[in-house]
Amino acid sequence: MDGADFFEKLLNHDPQAQKKLIETFNPRIFLYFRNRIKGENNYEDLVQEVFSAFFRGLDQGKMTSVVWIAPFLFGIAKRVLYNYFYKQRKNNEIQQKVSLVCEVTCDFTEAERMENQKLSQVLNLLIKDLPQIDRLILNAFYLQEKKITEISNMINRSNHYISVRKQRAIKKIKNEIFRKKLY
Amino acid sequence: MRCNEFQNLIDAYLQETIDEPRRENFEEHFFQCRKCFLGLKLNEALQNKDVRITLEEKPRVFVLKLFKPLLVMSSLFLLILFSVLLVQQKRQTRLLLEISAFEIPPYHQGELRSIPENGAAIEAKFSQAMKYLQERKFRPALNLLEGPLMEEAAYPKIEFFRAICYLGEDEAEKAGEIFDAIIRAMDPAYFDDALYYKGFVLLRQGQKQAARDQFEKLAGMLSPMSMKAGAMVQKIEAIE
Ligand SMILES: [Zn+2]
């Protein structure tokens, strides 16, 4: 499915295309809210609002091609966040649920949980394949929460060496995930 | 924001030490860029400690040397079994052998350079072995892959291609042993490939039903190899 084809299908409320769109952007929207709003553990309504505004906007012709999808969604997410923080959310505000504008029914939170679980599983498997030195660096940095400087002292290498190795290790995993089409 | 800059800001974003203008550019970028978003997700998962990072060296997958005499015996046994099969089911076996011709799997250059010691030398030897393999010169490729430097590296990729060499040399049993070990170790890099080529081992051993089941299992999995495996199921079913 190329971009134009995909966009055409979205315009025609094709459930497959809608599902693909949600699958692609649900994790990004979740991560955005997760990072922006601390101490909140239910993002379902916010994510729902983003998608419902997106599908409404699509019907109203606010996007003309596939390249506008990501910026448009980002714009909506920012607005929803703004509303969350600064405006009194009125209880009587009519929130159009995604189910009214989209053919696909979706539990966004559950989808996100599954996605994260799957990614952790893949990561667990791929990490075993890294050279020991890389695992040592990742372990020290992420699990033991050591600073780069501490790690570099620990294994007698420069800070630069540690940072580069750490980035490369993750890049290697990323490439492997793409190569094996795991994500 | 460029992908490079994005990569350098991931830690700052997750630790919330990034400044606001860059934070927004960063977010805008991951909405649009699939690759960078995956990098961010991986970092997030690591930071959340959702991942086990063990420091132990992976145990060598293979204990082939210990079992060599056993293997020779079982190969011999299989050879005899295979000859019996040939007599009994000449036609079907010929057809099975026909479809058990396999294509040489692709390989990816450069991965072995990250092995701490002798990475470049290992990669060079490996590349040479792959050249032989592309020309279906299995024995010289195998000699290289089982050479001194390579054996110590014990890298899954080397093991996998060793198995391919054995398959090419018609030493299906040996190939099968190696594939089984890769499958047991659930090595993600070669797991699907090992499942797929194990199917060819079974074909070469004349185990039609087992081979069919093997390919069918893979065809039902969410795997890049599933299409190819499905095609093999059909080929096998066509032999009656
Ligand atoms: Zn990018």
PDB file of all heavy atoms in Angstrom, chain A residues 176 179-180, chain B residues 105-106 108 160-161 164 167 179 182-183 187-200 214-215 218 221 223-225 228:
ATOM      1  N   GLU A 176      18.265  -4.730  13.725  1.00  0.00           N
ATOM      2  CA  GLU A 176      17.882  -6.140  13.736  1.00  0.00           C
ATOM      3  C   GLU A 176      16.355  -6.264  13.761  1.00  0.00           C
ATOM      4  O   GLU A 176      15.784  -7.107  13.067  1.00  0.00           O
ATOM      5  CB  GLU A 176      18.506  -6.805  14.970  1.00  0.00           C
ATOM      6  CG  GLU A 176      18.562  -8.318  14.933  1.00  0.00           C
ATOM      7  CD  GLU A 176      19.311  -8.884  13.743  1.00  0.00           C
ATOM      8  OE1 GLU A 176      20.172  -8.174  13.173  1.00  0.00           O
ATOM      9  OE2 GLU A 176      19.018 -10.027  13.373  1.00  0.00           O
ATOM     10  N   ARG A 179      15.204  -5.414  10.323  1.00  0.00           N
ATOM     11  CA  ARG A 179      15.578  -6.441   9.363  1.00  0.00           C
ATOM     12  C   ARG A 179      14.661  -7.653   9.485  1.00  0.00           C
ATOM     13  O   ARG A 179      14.255  -8.241   8.496  1.00  0.00           O
ATOM     14  CB  ARG A 179      17.040  -6.861   9.603  1.00  0.00           C
ATOM     15  CG  ARG A 179      17.622  -7.688   8.471  1.00  0.00           C
ATOM     16  CD  ARG A 179      19.095  -7.977   8.737  1.00  0.00           C
ATOM     17  NE  ARG A 179      19.299  -8.974   9.752  1.00  0.00           N
ATOM     18  CZ  ARG A 179      19.154 -10.276   9.564  1.00  0.00           C
ATOM     19  NH1 ARG A 179      18.801 -10.737   8.392  1.00  0.00           N
ATOM     20  NH2 ARG A 179      19.348 -11.122  10.549  1.00  0.00           N
ATOM     21  N   LYS A 180      14.358  -8.025  10.725  1.00  0.00           N
ATOM     22  CA  LYS A 180      13.508  -9.194  10.942  1.00  0.00           C
ATOM     23  C   LYS A 180      12.023  -8.821  10.922  1.00  0.00           C
ATOM     24  O   LYS A 180      11.176  -9.648  11.238  1.00  0.00           O
ATOM     25  CB  LYS A 180      13.836  -9.858  12.290  1.00  0.00           C
ATOM     26  CG  LYS A 180      15.280 -10.205  12.504  1.00  0.00           C
ATOM     27  CD  LYS A 180      15.688 -11.537  11.940  1.00  0.00           C
ATOM     28  CE  LYS A 180      15.009 -12.701  12.622  1.00  0.00           C
ATOM     29  NZ  LYS A 180      15.360 -13.971  11.998  1.00  0.00           N
TER      30      LYS A 180
ATOM     31  N   PRO B 105      20.951 -18.707   1.727  1.00  0.00           N
ATOM     32  CA  PRO B 105      20.384 -17.541   2.417  1.00  0.00           C
ATOM     33  C   PRO B 105      21.291 -16.311   2.285  1.00  0.00           C
ATOM     34  O   PRO B 105      22.505 -16.462   2.179  1.00  0.00           O
ATOM     35  CB  PRO B 105      20.306 -17.991   3.877  1.00  0.00           C
ATOM     36  CG  PRO B 105      21.269 -19.111   3.995  1.00  0.00           C
ATOM     37  CD  PRO B 105      21.354 -19.770   2.654  1.00  0.00           C
ATOM     38  N   PRO B 106      20.710 -15.135   2.291  1.00  0.00           N
ATOM     39  CA  PRO B 106      21.542 -13.925   2.212  1.00  0.00           C
ATOM     40  C   PRO B 106      22.272 -13.707   3.542  1.00  0.00           C
ATOM     41  O   PRO B 106      21.885 -14.263   4.562  1.00  0.00           O
ATOM     42  CB  PRO B 106      20.524 -12.814   2.004  1.00  0.00           C
ATOM     43  CG  PRO B 106      19.266 -13.343   2.616  1.00  0.00           C
ATOM     44  CD  PRO B 106      19.296 -14.826   2.442  1.00  0.00           C
ATOM     45  N   HIS B 108      24.507 -10.648   6.009  1.00  0.00           N
ATOM     46  CA  HIS B 108      24.693  -9.214   6.186  1.00  0.00           C
ATOM     47  C   HIS B 108      26.101  -8.948   6.656  1.00  0.00           C
ATOM     48  O   HIS B 108      26.564  -9.517   7.624  1.00  0.00           O
ATOM     49  CB  HIS B 108      23.667  -8.674   7.175  1.00  0.00           C
ATOM     50  CG  HIS B 108      22.281  -8.904   6.682  1.00  0.00           C
ATOM     51  ND1 HIS B 108      21.587  -7.971   5.977  1.00  0.00           N
ATOM     52  CD2 HIS B 108      21.500 -10.006   6.738  1.00  0.00           C
ATOM     53  CE1 HIS B 108      20.423  -8.474   5.639  1.00  0.00           C
ATOM     54  NE2 HIS B 108      20.338  -9.707   6.094  1.00  0.00           N
ATOM     55  N   PHE B 160      25.095 -20.739  12.039  1.00  0.00           N
ATOM     56  CA  PHE B 160      24.022 -20.903  11.063  1.00  0.00           C
ATOM     57  C   PHE B 160      24.579 -21.267   9.685  1.00  0.00           C
ATOM     58  O   PHE B 160      24.129 -22.204   9.033  1.00  0.00           O
ATOM     59  CB  PHE B 160      23.190 -19.618  10.988  1.00  0.00           C
ATOM     60  CG  PHE B 160      22.157 -19.640   9.888  1.00  0.00           C
ATOM     61  CD1 PHE B 160      20.998 -20.393  10.032  1.00  0.00           C
ATOM     62  CD2 PHE B 160      22.349 -18.935   8.707  1.00  0.00           C
ATOM     63  CE1 PHE B 160      20.049 -20.438   9.021  1.00  0.00           C
ATOM     64  CE2 PHE B 160      21.406 -18.970   7.689  1.00  0.00           C
ATOM     65  CZ  PHE B 160      20.259 -19.718   7.853  1.00  0.00           C
ATOM     66  N   PHE B 161      25.598 -20.537   9.261  1.00  0.00           N
ATOM     67  CA  PHE B 161      26.134 -20.810   7.926  1.00  0.00           C
ATOM     68  C   PHE B 161      26.938 -22.107   7.883  1.00  0.00           C
ATOM     69  O   PHE B 161      27.051 -22.726   6.828  1.00  0.00           O
ATOM     70  CB  PHE B 161      26.920 -19.606   7.406  1.00  0.00           C
ATOM     71  CG  PHE B 161      26.013 -18.520   6.914  1.00  0.00           C
ATOM     72  CD1 PHE B 161      25.764 -17.395   7.665  1.00  0.00           C
ATOM     73  CD2 PHE B 161      25.337 -18.656   5.687  1.00  0.00           C
ATOM     74  CE1 PHE B 161      24.892 -16.404   7.223  1.00  0.00           C
ATOM     75  CE2 PHE B 161      24.471 -17.676   5.240  1.00  0.00           C
ATOM     76  CZ  PHE B 161      24.240 -16.547   6.002  1.00  0.00           C
ATOM     77  N   ILE B 164      24.350 -24.483   7.032  1.00  0.00           N
ATOM     78  CA  ILE B 164      24.014 -24.394   5.606  1.00  0.00           C
ATOM     79  C   ILE B 164      25.044 -25.176   4.785  1.00  0.00           C
ATOM     80  O   ILE B 164      24.705 -25.885   3.835  1.00  0.00           O
ATOM     81  CB  ILE B 164      23.958 -22.910   5.141  1.00  0.00           C
ATOM     82  CG1 ILE B 164      22.804 -22.169   5.836  1.00  0.00           C
ATOM     83  CG2 ILE B 164      23.851 -22.793   3.627  1.00  0.00           C
ATOM     84  CD1 ILE B 164      21.418 -22.616   5.425  1.00  0.00           C
ATOM     85  N   LEU B 167      24.398 -28.778   5.044  1.00  0.00           N
ATOM     86  CA  LEU B 167      23.229 -29.099   4.237  1.00  0.00           C
ATOM     87  C   LEU B 167      23.637 -29.241   2.773  1.00  0.00           C
ATOM     88  O   LEU B 167      23.244 -30.191   2.085  1.00  0.00           O
ATOM     89  CB  LEU B 167      22.184 -27.980   4.403  1.00  0.00           C
ATOM     90  CG  LEU B 167      20.776 -28.238   3.884  1.00  0.00           C
ATOM     91  CD1 LEU B 167      20.173 -29.468   4.538  1.00  0.00           C
ATOM     92  CD2 LEU B 167      19.888 -27.026   4.161  1.00  0.00           C
ATOM     93  N   PHE B 179      20.986 -26.601  13.462  1.00  0.00           N
ATOM     94  CA  PHE B 179      19.731 -25.837  13.412  1.00  0.00           C
ATOM     95  C   PHE B 179      18.931 -26.042  14.699  1.00  0.00           C
ATOM     96  O   PHE B 179      18.386 -25.097  15.260  1.00  0.00           O
ATOM     97  CB  PHE B 179      18.881 -26.252  12.205  1.00  0.00           C
ATOM     98  CG  PHE B 179      19.454 -25.784  10.893  1.00  0.00           C
ATOM     99  CD1 PHE B 179      19.506 -26.632   9.794  1.00  0.00           C
ATOM    100  CD2 PHE B 179      19.924 -24.482  10.748  1.00  0.00           C
ATOM    101  CE1 PHE B 179      20.025 -26.201   8.583  1.00  0.00           C
ATOM    102  CE2 PHE B 179      20.446 -24.048   9.542  1.00  0.00           C
ATOM    103  CZ  PHE B 179      20.508 -24.909   8.456  1.00  0.00           C
ATOM    104  N   ILE B 182      20.208 -23.883  17.390  1.00  0.00           N
ATOM    105  CA  ILE B 182      19.835 -22.474  17.213  1.00  0.00           C
ATOM    106  C   ILE B 182      18.370 -22.285  17.607  1.00  0.00           C
ATOM    107  O   ILE B 182      18.013 -21.320  18.273  1.00  0.00           O
ATOM    108  CB  ILE B 182      20.066 -22.015  15.751  1.00  0.00           C
ATOM    109  CG1 ILE B 182      21.562 -22.063  15.424  1.00  0.00           C
ATOM    110  CG2 ILE B 182      19.532 -20.597  15.544  1.00  0.00           C
ATOM    111  CD1 ILE B 182      21.900 -21.739  13.978  1.00  0.00           C
ATOM    112  N   ILE B 183      17.542 -23.234  17.202  1.00  0.00           N
ATOM    113  CA  ILE B 183      16.114 -23.142  17.529  1.00  0.00           C
ATOM    114  C   ILE B 183      15.917 -23.228  19.048  1.00  0.00           C
ATOM    115  O   ILE B 183      15.178 -22.452  19.633  1.00  0.00           O
ATOM    116  CB  ILE B 183      15.309 -24.248  16.807  1.00  0.00           C
ATOM    117  CG1 ILE B 183      15.357 -24.017  15.287  1.00  0.00           C
ATOM    118  CG2 ILE B 183      13.861 -24.273  17.285  1.00  0.00           C
ATOM    119  CD1 ILE B 183      14.938 -25.226  14.459  1.00  0.00           C
ATOM    120  N   ASP B 187      17.594 -18.095  19.369  1.00  0.00           N
ATOM    121  CA  ASP B 187      18.382 -16.958  18.927  1.00  0.00           C
ATOM    122  C   ASP B 187      17.575 -16.149  17.903  1.00  0.00           C
ATOM    123  O   ASP B 187      17.255 -16.659  16.842  1.00  0.00           O
ATOM    124  CB  ASP B 187      19.654 -17.503  18.277  1.00  0.00           C
ATOM    125  CG  ASP B 187      20.625 -16.403  18.057  1.00  0.00           C
ATOM    126  OD1 ASP B 187      20.265 -15.467  17.321  1.00  0.00           O
ATOM    127  OD2 ASP B 187      21.712 -16.444  18.628  1.00  0.00           O
ATOM    128  N   PRO B 188      17.233 -14.900  18.236  1.00  0.00           N
ATOM    129  CA  PRO B 188      16.294 -14.193  17.375  1.00  0.00           C
ATOM    130  C   PRO B 188      16.828 -13.930  15.967  1.00  0.00           C
ATOM    131  O   PRO B 188      16.066 -13.891  15.009  1.00  0.00           O
ATOM    132  CB  PRO B 188      16.059 -12.875  18.106  1.00  0.00           C
ATOM    133  CG  PRO B 188      17.260 -12.709  18.963  1.00  0.00           C
ATOM    134  CD  PRO B 188      17.706 -14.079  19.343  1.00  0.00           C
ATOM    135  N   ALA B 189      18.155 -13.771  15.869  1.00  0.00           N
ATOM    136  CA  ALA B 189      18.701 -13.403  14.566  1.00  0.00           C
ATOM    137  C   ALA B 189      18.538 -14.536  13.559  1.00  0.00           C
ATOM    138  O   ALA B 189      18.339 -14.304  12.382  1.00  0.00           O
ATOM    139  CB  ALA B 189      20.164 -13.026  14.709  1.00  0.00           C
ATOM    140  N   TYR B 190      18.634 -15.776  14.029  1.00  0.00           N
ATOM    141  CA  TYR B 190      18.575 -16.883  13.074  1.00  0.00           C
ATOM    142  C   TYR B 190      17.501 -17.904  13.395  1.00  0.00           C
ATOM    143  O   TYR B 190      17.473 -18.992  12.824  1.00  0.00           O
ATOM    144  CB  TYR B 190      19.965 -17.541  12.955  1.00  0.00           C
ATOM    145  CG  TYR B 190      20.868 -16.632  12.162  1.00  0.00           C
ATOM    146  CD1 TYR B 190      21.724 -15.757  12.790  1.00  0.00           C
ATOM    147  CD2 TYR B 190      20.772 -16.586  10.775  1.00  0.00           C
ATOM    148  CE1 TYR B 190      22.495 -14.866  12.059  1.00  0.00           C
ATOM    149  CE2 TYR B 190      21.540 -15.715  10.037  1.00  0.00           C
ATOM    150  CZ  TYR B 190      22.398 -14.853  10.681  1.00  0.00           C
ATOM    151  OH  TYR B 190      23.133 -13.982   9.957  1.00  0.00           O
ATOM    152  N   PHE B 191      16.617 -17.553  14.293  1.00  0.00           N
ATOM    153  CA  PHE B 191      15.571 -18.478  14.712  1.00  0.00           C
ATOM    154  C   PHE B 191      14.688 -18.899  13.533  1.00  0.00           C
ATOM    155  O   PHE B 191      14.572 -20.090  13.217  1.00  0.00           O
ATOM    156  CB  PHE B 191      14.727 -17.822  15.809  1.00  0.00           C
ATOM    157  CG  PHE B 191      13.622 -18.689  16.333  1.00  0.00           C
ATOM    158  CD1 PHE B 191      13.908 -19.806  17.102  1.00  0.00           C
ATOM    159  CD2 PHE B 191      12.293 -18.397  16.061  1.00  0.00           C
ATOM    160  CE1 PHE B 191      12.890 -20.605  17.597  1.00  0.00           C
ATOM    161  CE2 PHE B 191      11.269 -19.194  16.542  1.00  0.00           C
ATOM    162  CZ  PHE B 191      11.574 -20.303  17.314  1.00  0.00           C
ATOM    163  N   ASP B 192      14.128 -17.932  12.831  1.00  0.00           N
ATOM    164  CA  ASP B 192      13.213 -18.239  11.724  1.00  0.00           C
ATOM    165  C   ASP B 192      13.950 -18.961  10.602  1.00  0.00           C
ATOM    166  O   ASP B 192      13.447 -19.922  10.028  1.00  0.00           O
ATOM    167  CB  ASP B 192      12.603 -16.963  11.141  1.00  0.00           C
ATOM    168  CG  ASP B 192      11.988 -16.098  12.203  1.00  0.00           C
ATOM    169  OD1 ASP B 192      12.697 -15.750  13.163  1.00  0.00           O
ATOM    170  OD2 ASP B 192      10.809 -15.769  12.080  1.00  0.00           O
ATOM    171  N   ASP B 193      15.142 -18.479  10.308  1.00  0.00           N
ATOM    172  CA  ASP B 193      15.923 -19.096   9.240  1.00  0.00           C
ATOM    173  C   ASP B 193      16.245 -20.544   9.578  1.00  0.00           C
ATOM    174  O   ASP B 193      16.181 -21.419   8.723  1.00  0.00           O
ATOM    175  CB  ASP B 193      17.237 -18.336   9.021  1.00  0.00           C
ATOM    176  CG  ASP B 193      16.981 -16.896   8.626  1.00  0.00           C
ATOM    177  OD1 ASP B 193      16.520 -16.143   9.498  1.00  0.00           O
ATOM    178  OD2 ASP B 193      17.206 -16.537   7.460  1.00  0.00           O
ATOM    179  N   ALA B 194      16.573 -20.768  10.858  1.00  0.00           N
ATOM    180  CA  ALA B 194      16.906 -22.137  11.270  1.00  0.00           C
ATOM    181  C   ALA B 194      15.683 -23.045  11.137  1.00  0.00           C
ATOM    182  O   ALA B 194      15.789 -24.181  10.666  1.00  0.00           O
ATOM    183  CB  ALA B 194      17.427 -22.144  12.701  1.00  0.00           C
ATOM    184  N   LEU B 195      14.519 -22.515  11.512  1.00  0.00           N
ATOM    185  CA  LEU B 195      13.284 -23.304  11.361  1.00  0.00           C
ATOM    186  C   LEU B 195      13.065 -23.669   9.890  1.00  0.00           C
ATOM    187  O   LEU B 195      12.719 -24.800   9.555  1.00  0.00           O
ATOM    188  CB  LEU B 195      12.070 -22.507  11.845  1.00  0.00           C
ATOM    189  CG  LEU B 195      11.837 -22.412  13.350  1.00  0.00           C
ATOM    190  CD1 LEU B 195      10.637 -21.526  13.634  1.00  0.00           C
ATOM    191  CD2 LEU B 195      11.606 -23.790  13.950  1.00  0.00           C
ATOM    192  N   TYR B 196      13.272 -22.691   9.042  1.00  0.00           N
ATOM    193  CA  TYR B 196      13.038 -22.881   7.608  1.00  0.00           C
ATOM    194  C   TYR B 196      13.994 -23.931   7.037  1.00  0.00           C
ATOM    195  O   TYR B 196      13.585 -24.893   6.410  1.00  0.00           O
ATOM    196  CB  TYR B 196      13.209 -21.538   6.908  1.00  0.00           C
ATOM    197  CG  TYR B 196      12.998 -21.570   5.400  1.00  0.00           C
ATOM    198  CD1 TYR B 196      11.734 -21.712   4.863  1.00  0.00           C
ATOM    199  CD2 TYR B 196      14.078 -21.431   4.527  1.00  0.00           C
ATOM    200  CE1 TYR B 196      11.533 -21.730   3.494  1.00  0.00           C
ATOM    201  CE2 TYR B 196      13.894 -21.433   3.153  1.00  0.00           C
ATOM    202  CZ  TYR B 196      12.618 -21.579   2.638  1.00  0.00           C
ATOM    203  OH  TYR B 196      12.425 -21.590   1.287  1.00  0.00           O
ATOM    204  N   TYR B 197      15.269 -23.756   7.319  1.00  0.00           N
ATOM    205  CA  TYR B 197      16.239 -24.678   6.718  1.00  0.00           C
ATOM    206  C   TYR B 197      16.208 -26.058   7.365  1.00  0.00           C
ATOM    207  O   TYR B 197      16.605 -27.035   6.753  1.00  0.00           O
ATOM    208  CB  TYR B 197      17.643 -24.057   6.711  1.00  0.00           C
ATOM    209  CG  TYR B 197      17.744 -23.004   5.631  1.00  0.00           C
ATOM    210  CD1 TYR B 197      17.590 -21.650   5.914  1.00  0.00           C
ATOM    211  CD2 TYR B 197      17.922 -23.364   4.292  1.00  0.00           C
ATOM    212  CE1 TYR B 197      17.640 -20.688   4.922  1.00  0.00           C
ATOM    213  CE2 TYR B 197      17.967 -22.407   3.289  1.00  0.00           C
ATOM    214  CZ  TYR B 197      17.830 -21.082   3.608  1.00  0.00           C
ATOM    215  OH  TYR B 197      17.868 -20.144   2.617  1.00  0.00           O
ATOM    216  N   LYS B 198      15.700 -26.109   8.604  1.00  0.00           N
ATOM    217  CA  LYS B 198      15.504 -27.428   9.227  1.00  0.00           C
ATOM    218  C   LYS B 198      14.519 -28.236   8.382  1.00  0.00           C
ATOM    219  O   LYS B 198      14.645 -29.462   8.249  1.00  0.00           O
ATOM    220  CB  LYS B 198      14.984 -27.252  10.665  1.00  0.00           C
ATOM    221  CG  LYS B 198      14.713 -28.539  11.428  1.00  0.00           C
ATOM    222  CD  LYS B 198      15.975 -29.323  11.715  1.00  0.00           C
ATOM    223  CE  LYS B 198      15.712 -30.780  12.047  1.00  0.00           C
ATOM    224  NZ  LYS B 198      15.093 -31.034  13.332  1.00  0.00           N
ATOM    225  N   GLY B 199      13.575 -27.531   7.775  1.00  0.00           N
ATOM    226  CA  GLY B 199      12.638 -28.199   6.877  1.00  0.00           C
ATOM    227  C   GLY B 199      13.375 -28.906   5.742  1.00  0.00           C
ATOM    228  O   GLY B 199      13.038 -30.033   5.361  1.00  0.00           O
ATOM    229  N   PHE B 200      14.411 -28.274   5.226  1.00  0.00           N
ATOM    230  CA  PHE B 200      15.192 -28.884   4.136  1.00  0.00           C
ATOM    231  C   PHE B 200      15.988 -30.086   4.630  1.00  0.00           C
ATOM    232  O   PHE B 200      16.191 -31.052   3.906  1.00  0.00           O
ATOM    233  CB  PHE B 200      16.123 -27.846   3.502  1.00  0.00           C
ATOM    234  CG  PHE B 200      15.378 -26.860   2.658  1.00  0.00           C
ATOM    235  CD1 PHE B 200      14.961 -25.653   3.172  1.00  0.00           C
ATOM    236  CD2 PHE B 200      15.058 -27.170   1.340  1.00  0.00           C
ATOM    237  CE1 PHE B 200      14.248 -24.750   2.398  1.00  0.00           C
ATOM    238  CE2 PHE B 200      14.356 -26.280   0.549  1.00  0.00           C
ATOM    239  CZ  PHE B 200      13.940 -25.064   1.083  1.00  0.00           C
ATOM    240  N   GLN B 214       7.014 -29.013   9.632  1.00  0.00           N
ATOM    241  CA  GLN B 214       7.992 -27.983   9.964  1.00  0.00           C
ATOM    242  C   GLN B 214       7.688 -26.675   9.214  1.00  0.00           C
ATOM    243  O   GLN B 214       7.628 -25.606   9.798  1.00  0.00           O
ATOM    244  CB  GLN B 214       9.394 -28.496   9.595  1.00  0.00           C
ATOM    245  CG  GLN B 214      10.513 -27.517   9.825  1.00  0.00           C
ATOM    246  CD  GLN B 214      10.895 -27.424  11.287  1.00  0.00           C
ATOM    247  OE1 GLN B 214      10.447 -28.235  12.097  1.00  0.00           O
ATOM    248  NE2 GLN B 214      11.690 -26.427  11.636  1.00  0.00           N
ATOM    249  N   PHE B 215       7.498 -26.818   7.898  1.00  0.00           N
ATOM    250  CA  PHE B 215       7.223 -25.617   7.096  1.00  0.00           C
ATOM    251  C   PHE B 215       5.869 -25.005   7.476  1.00  0.00           C
ATOM    252  O   PHE B 215       5.715 -23.784   7.502  1.00  0.00           O
ATOM    253  CB  PHE B 215       7.246 -25.949   5.601  1.00  0.00           C
ATOM    254  CG  PHE B 215       8.632 -26.171   5.067  1.00  0.00           C
ATOM    255  CD1 PHE B 215       8.991 -27.383   4.494  1.00  0.00           C
ATOM    256  CD2 PHE B 215       9.590 -25.165   5.122  1.00  0.00           C
ATOM    257  CE1 PHE B 215      10.268 -27.591   3.987  1.00  0.00           C
ATOM    258  CE2 PHE B 215      10.877 -25.363   4.625  1.00  0.00           C
ATOM    259  CZ  PHE B 215      11.213 -26.580   4.056  1.00  0.00           C
ATOM    260  N   LEU B 218       6.100 -22.860  10.549  1.00  0.00           N
ATOM    261  CA  LEU B 218       6.711 -21.560  10.254  1.00  0.00           C
ATOM    262  C   LEU B 218       5.750 -20.671   9.454  1.00  0.00           C
ATOM    263  O   LEU B 218       5.675 -19.464   9.674  1.00  0.00           O
ATOM    264  CB  LEU B 218       8.030 -21.764   9.504  1.00  0.00           C
ATOM    265  CG  LEU B 218       8.845 -20.528   9.172  1.00  0.00           C
ATOM    266  CD1 LEU B 218       9.213 -19.748  10.427  1.00  0.00           C
ATOM    267  CD2 LEU B 218      10.114 -20.896   8.421  1.00  0.00           C
ATOM    268  N   MET B 221       3.510 -18.698  11.518  1.00  0.00           N
ATOM    269  CA  MET B 221       4.086 -17.739  12.454  1.00  0.00           C
ATOM    270  C   MET B 221       4.185 -16.352  11.843  1.00  0.00           C
ATOM    271  O   MET B 221       4.197 -16.198  10.635  1.00  0.00           O
ATOM    272  CB  MET B 221       5.499 -18.189  12.873  1.00  0.00           C
ATOM    273  CG  MET B 221       5.495 -19.303  13.880  1.00  0.00           C
ATOM    274  SD  MET B 221       7.096 -20.113  14.036  1.00  0.00           S
ATOM    275  CE  MET B 221       8.155 -18.745  14.463  1.00  0.00           C
ATOM    276  N   SER B 223       6.292 -14.258  10.735  1.00  0.00           N
ATOM    277  CA  SER B 223       7.715 -14.320  10.437  1.00  0.00           C
ATOM    278  C   SER B 223       7.975 -13.865   9.008  1.00  0.00           C
ATOM    279  O   SER B 223       7.161 -14.081   8.120  1.00  0.00           O
ATOM    280  CB  SER B 223       8.179 -15.775  10.590  1.00  0.00           C
ATOM    281  OG  SER B 223       9.343 -15.997   9.841  1.00  0.00           O
ATOM    282  N   PRO B 224       9.139 -13.241   8.790  1.00  0.00           N
ATOM    283  CA  PRO B 224       9.474 -12.860   7.414  1.00  0.00           C
ATOM    284  C   PRO B 224       9.614 -14.080   6.496  1.00  0.00           C
ATOM    285  O   PRO B 224       9.579 -13.947   5.283  1.00  0.00           O
ATOM    286  CB  PRO B 224      10.803 -12.118   7.558  1.00  0.00           C
ATOM    287  CG  PRO B 224      11.259 -12.315   8.944  1.00  0.00           C
ATOM    288  CD  PRO B 224      10.121 -12.782   9.762  1.00  0.00           C
ATOM    289  N   MET B 225       9.799 -15.254   7.093  1.00  0.00           N
ATOM    290  CA  MET B 225       9.985 -16.455   6.281  1.00  0.00           C
ATOM    291  C   MET B 225       8.663 -17.175   6.015  1.00  0.00           C
ATOM    292  O   MET B 225       8.659 -18.210   5.342  1.00  0.00           O
ATOM    293  CB  MET B 225      10.915 -17.441   6.997  1.00  0.00           C
ATOM    294  CG  MET B 225      12.225 -16.893   7.475  1.00  0.00           C
ATOM    295  SD  MET B 225      13.317 -16.417   6.145  1.00  0.00           S
ATOM    296  CE  MET B 225      13.868 -18.020   5.579  1.00  0.00           C
ATOM    297  N   LYS B 228       7.606 -17.960   2.301  1.00  0.00           N
ATOM    298  CA  LYS B 228       8.438 -18.991   1.680  1.00  0.00           C
ATOM    299  C   LYS B 228       8.079 -20.369   2.228  1.00  0.00           C
ATOM    300  O   LYS B 228       8.030 -21.352   1.492  1.00  0.00           O
ATOM    301  CB  LYS B 228       9.914 -18.721   1.991  1.00  0.00           C
ATOM    302  CG  LYS B 228      10.540 -17.682   1.097  1.00  0.00           C
ATOM    303  CD  LYS B 228      11.870 -17.293   1.672  1.00  0.00           C
ATOM    304  CE  LYS B 228      12.974 -17.384   0.644  1.00  0.00           C
ATOM    305  NZ  LYS B 228      14.268 -17.054   1.230  1.00  0.00           N
TER     306      LYS B 228
END
